[in-house]
């Protein structure tokens, strides 16, 4: 299979050259452009998520041999969640080589966090299938870099931390209310309020609903800490 110039450049960016480049093409093919003769990356994404999880679990155990499961679990989640995968994908300009249907391209698919995160997991699986576990492990650790050693001791995401704060005080879990949605379909902006049972709330705005919820939860936690 002849490899295009953009895929050659991408292989250089990730530091791995495929012996089966069709695996890479599959990993970069979104469902919006798939067909009976062109498969998408969903199955590889499924596998890549598991490969990434094993590599990160082992890396965390090796890095902090005395950490309890209670500390390791949130650190693990912080390293393997879609946001982290998308961040690494942006670092290697994965978006520019994504194969998308016209509708996804028009709606800014190359910048969408979910698409980038899924494709990053699919690329990991493609490397694993092409070169084996040790090669995939080396690639992951190289691309994630010092994220493993710098992950916060308390790496719970803000929504989890806020829920635990509420439950510890006998309150119901916080709710997240969409206050507004603006902007065009390809670049929406959401304003979300994180609200506790007693009415205390904080608001935040972001380009994705999940990001706005996390930011609102973080703002509310900071507000609670300041008032404590």
């Amino acid at each position: 299979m002849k490899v295009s110039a953009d895929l050659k450049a991408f292989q250089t960016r990730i530091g791995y050259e495929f012996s089966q480049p069709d695996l890479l093409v599959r990993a970069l093919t979104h469902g919006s452009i798939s067909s009976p003769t062109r498969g998408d990356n969903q199955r590889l994404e499924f596998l890549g998520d598991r490969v990434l999880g094993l590599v990160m679990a082992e890396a965390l155990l090796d890095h902090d041999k005395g950490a309890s499961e209670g500390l390791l679990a949130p650190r693990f989640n912080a390293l393997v969640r879609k946001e982290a995968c998308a961040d690494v994908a942006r670092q290697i300009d994965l978006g520019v080589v994504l194969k998308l249907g016209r509708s996804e391209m028009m709606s800014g698919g190359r910048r969408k966090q979910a698409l980038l995160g899924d494709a990053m997991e699919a690329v990991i699986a493609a490397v694993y299938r092409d070169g084996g576990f040790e090669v995939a492990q080396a690639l992951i650790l190289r691309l994630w870099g010092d994220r493993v050693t710098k992950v916060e001791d308390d790496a719970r995401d803000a929504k989890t931390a806020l829920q635990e704060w509420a439950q510890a005080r006998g309150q119901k879990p916080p709710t997240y209310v969409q206050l507004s949605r603006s902007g065009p379909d390809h670049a929406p902006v959401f304003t979300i309020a994180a609200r506790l049972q007693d009415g205390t709330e904080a608001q935040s705005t972001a380009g994705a609903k999940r990001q706005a919820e996390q930011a609102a939860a973080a703002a509310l936690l900071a507000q609670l800490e300041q008032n404590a």
Side-chain angles (χ1 to χ4, degrees):
M1 176 182 179
K2 187 175 181 180
V3 180
S4 62
D6 60 342
L7 290 188
K8 286 181 180 178
F10 179 73
Q11 290 180 97
T12 299
R13 290 199 296 277
I14 66 174
Y16 180 74
E17 184 175 347
F18 282 80
S19 60
Q20 304 173 74
D22 57 306
L23 280 169
L24 176 58
V25 172
R26 171 71 67 90
L28 297 171
T29 302
H30 184 255
S32 62
I33 200 173
S34 64
S35 69
T37 58
R38 177 190 291 187
D40 61 32
N41 61 8
Q42 289 185 343
R43 286 170 58 86
L44 285 175
E45 173 204 340
F46 170 82
L47 176 60
D49 177 59
R50 276 69 185 170
V51 176
L52 174 63
L54 177 57
V55 170
M56 284 302 155
E58 188 172 50
L60 287 169
L61 286 175
D62 291 343
H63 173 64
D64 190 346
K65 292 179 169 51
S68 67
E69 190 275 340
L71 280 178
L72 291 172
R75 296 177 190 173
F76 173 84
N77 291 334
L79 290 167
V80 303
R81 65 170 63 117
K82 277 289 186 285
E83 292 89 339
C85 293
D87 186 47
V88 174
R90 294 186 191 97
Q91 170 188 312
I92 58 175
D93 288 334
L94 188 153
V96 302
V97 290
L98 271 179
K99 299 183 181 301
L100 304 171
R102 180 174 174 78
S103 61
E104 275 295 348
M105 283 195 289
M106 295 296 291
S107 65
R110 297 188 189 282
R111 301 186 301 276
K112 289 183 180 178
Q113 183 167 271
L115 268 64
L116 290 172
D118 290 348
M120 187 67 245
E121 291 173 345
V123 168
I124 287 170
V127 172
Y128 167 73
R129 295 295 291 266
D130 192 70
F133 177 74
E134 290 184 358
V135 172
Q137 180 183 42
L139 176 129
I140 291 166
L141 294 177
R142 182 169 66 253
L143 295 183
W144 261 250
D146 60 5
R147 291 175 177 83
V148 178
T149 58
K150 288 186 176 180
V151 66
E152 297 178 12
D153 284 343
D154 183 359
R156 294 170 301 173
D157 64 82
K159 289 180 67 174
T160 299
L162 182 60
Q163 180 169 323
E164 291 177 356
W165 186 97
Q167 289 175 335
R169 289 157 179 80
Q171 295 191 33
K172 293 180 180 179
T175 57
Y176 296 88
V177 181
Q178 182 176 312
L179 301 178
S180 68
R181 182 188 188 281
S182 59
D185 288 341
H186 69 276
V189 176
F190 298 91
T191 297
I192 301 288
R195 188 173 296 161
L196 293 173
Q197 182 182 356
D198 63 7
T200 307
E201 71 171 52
Q203 302 176 15
S204 189
T205 300
K209 187 178 292 187
R210 176 179 166 82
Q211 289 176 320
E213 289 176 348
Q214 289 286 356
L220 185 48
L221 282 168
Q223 179 180 314
L224 294 168
E225 185 177 335
Q226 186 176 10
N227 295 336

